[in-house]
Amino acid sequence: MNHRTILQEISILALPGLHIGHAQNTTAKTGVTVLLFDHGARVGIDISGGGPASRETPLANPETADNPVNAIVLSGGSAYGLSASEGVMRYLEEHGIGYPTGFANVPLVLQSCIYDLGIGDANIRPDAQMGYDACANAQIPCTDPSLLQGNVGAGIGATVGKICGMERADKSGIGIHAVSIGPLKIAAIVVLNALGDIFNPETGQKIAGLHNEDRSDYVDTRDILYQMFTPTDLFTGEEKSGNPVPLPSTNTTIGAIITNGNFSKAELCKLASMTRCAYARCINPVGTMADGDSIYAASIGKIDADINMVGTLAAEVMEKAIQKAVSI
């Protein structure tokens, strides 16, 4: 039996207690995507990129208190976009959501950002109002889950294959994929904003990324990378003089796995690290110092499941989400 015959594709909104909302500035090409958890979530994280822009990630550390996380925020704006969480916290506080301290409910909000300042208007970034609006939009019933992905929210300024600049890159966005296997549900959401090229791992075919100068064909980003950073000229054999041009730090792929499987924070960190295999299969190069690649893993259910099976499946689901992010 082919394993795909026992997997059923579902809507990401079939996961109980999960709400997704977007807000964006279509002119500036930047935005916010919020994942809200009605009953909180236990969260782990894997960070493989060299330059993450993030907020409150220690809450996903197994050594910290096991308090339920209320929201995960994905945004553009690089580190400037971290302001969006202020609006998310305000929205949650207004609705009585957060960790009770005796004096106030303090919402627990995690956030990661992509660098999208190179497209649209770099002077306009996600702010508190955009974060608040994304939360409000998350409460509006969604009749067509396909509208949750593509050029919306945090994905509106996402691009891939940028080692030679934006003029040779491809547009990408948000990709979402979800499946069930028996009572277990697992979903992936990704904001694909990579330095590298994007591949279909089943065929090895490049499906997005760096183009040649007239955009008539694709070019392999690895070839450019190797030429840039070898100590000698690959054509003449002469030693290069001066310092190499640094990689453009205008990237970062951020995503989340959400499951109704019951896992501890330590197990969720492992689950997130297993999901990273999808990044390696679909994005090349990946996890460079010019990326801030991060993956959250959130548990919002009580289904007992084997972490090895779920981690393997999570990587496969994330693969599909990555491919959908460039099929827009």
Side-chain angles (χ1 to χ4, degrees):
M1 176 184 295
N2 187 302
H3 73 282
R4 288 179 177 80
T5 63
I6 61 175
L7 299 179
Q8 180 181 355
E9 186 172 351
I10 60 173
S11 164
I12 191 172
L13 298 178
L15 277 86
L18 170 66
H19 303 274
I20 301 174
H22 302 297
Q24 58 275 320
N25 184 313
T26 56
T27 302
K29 301 297 183 186
T30 195
V32 175
T33 296
V34 176
L35 311 179
L36 298 179
F37 307 110
D38 281 348
H39 309 293
R42 189 176 290 123
V43 179
I45 192 169
D46 176 82
I47 300 175
S48 56
S54 56
R55 176 188 188 276
E56 290 274 48
T57 50
L59 293 177
N61 188 321
E63 297 177 352
T64 60
D66 197 17
N67 298 318
V69 168
N70 304 117
I72 295 174
V73 181
L74 309 175
S75 85
S78 189
Y80 292 109
L82 293 170
S83 298
S85 282
E86 297 175 17
V88 176
M89 290 190 69
R90 176 162 56 90
Y91 181 93
L92 294 172
E93 182 184 27
E94 289 176 1
H95 290 77
I97 299 171
Y99 178 75
T101 66
F103 297 94
N105 287 335
V106 179
L108 301 184
V109 179
L110 303 174
Q111 183 176 358
S112 289
C113 310
I114 68 167
Y115 187 104
D116 58 2
L117 304 181
I119 183 172
D121 188 340
N123 296 311
I124 298 176
R125 300 98 179 220
D127 56 13
Q129 187 60 50
M130 195 178 286
Y132 187 97
D133 292 343
C135 290
N137 291 335
Q139 303 302 331
I140 300 173
C142 179
T143 57
D144 184 359
S146 68
L147 299 178
L148 294 174
Q149 60 185 326
N151 272 306
V152 293
I156 196 168
T159 50
V160 294
K162 291 171 281 187
I163 196 169
C164 293
M166 298 301 296
E167 64 276 4
R168 292 173 62 179
D170 263 340
K171 187 70 185 72
S172 56
I174 287 182
I176 294 175
H177 191 71
V179 301
S180 64
I181 179 169
L184 179 74
K185 297 181 175 69
I186 185 165
I189 180 168
V190 66
V191 185
L192 184 61
N193 191 59
L195 173 77
D197 302 318
I198 312 304
F199 297 85
N200 178 334
E202 294 185 6
T203 65
Q205 178 185 5
K206 180 172 172 176
I207 55 177
L210 177 66
H211 291 258
N212 58 13
E213 292 186 4
D214 64 6
R215 298 187 67 88
S216 61
D217 199 0
Y218 282 124
V219 175
D220 195 319
T221 292
R222 291 171 298 176
D223 291 341
I224 304 299
L225 183 67
Y226 299 155
Q227 291 174 29
M228 288 173 63
F229 292 101
T230 51
T232 58
D233 189 292
L234 292 177
F235 299 101
T236 66
E238 296 178 358
E239 185 174 346
K240 293 181 179 178
S241 60
N243 296 320
V245 178
L247 283 176
S249 299
T250 56
N251 314 291
T252 296
T253 295
I254 52 178
I257 289 289
I258 308 100
T259 179
N260 65 346
N262 185 19
F263 297 104
S264 68
K265 283 205 290 184
E267 289 172 323
L268 287 163
C269 288
K270 177 60 176 176
L271 184 60
S273 71
M274 291 180 72
T275 305
R276 193 202 315 168
C277 293
Y279 282 22
R281 293 170 191 158
C282 296
I283 309 169
N284 199 357
V286 70
T288 71
M289 296 300 286
D291 293 289
D293 299 338
S294 304
I295 302 173
Y296 296 97
S299 170
I300 57 173
K302 298 297 182 182
I303 301 297
D304 291 328
D306 178 75
I307 189 170
N308 302 293
M309 183 274 282
V310 177
T312 301
L313 181 56
E316 185 170 336
V317 174
M318 182 60 79
E319 286 177 23
K320 299 295 186 184
I322 289 172
Q323 291 175 76
K324 288 183 177 180
V326 292
S327 300
I328 53 178

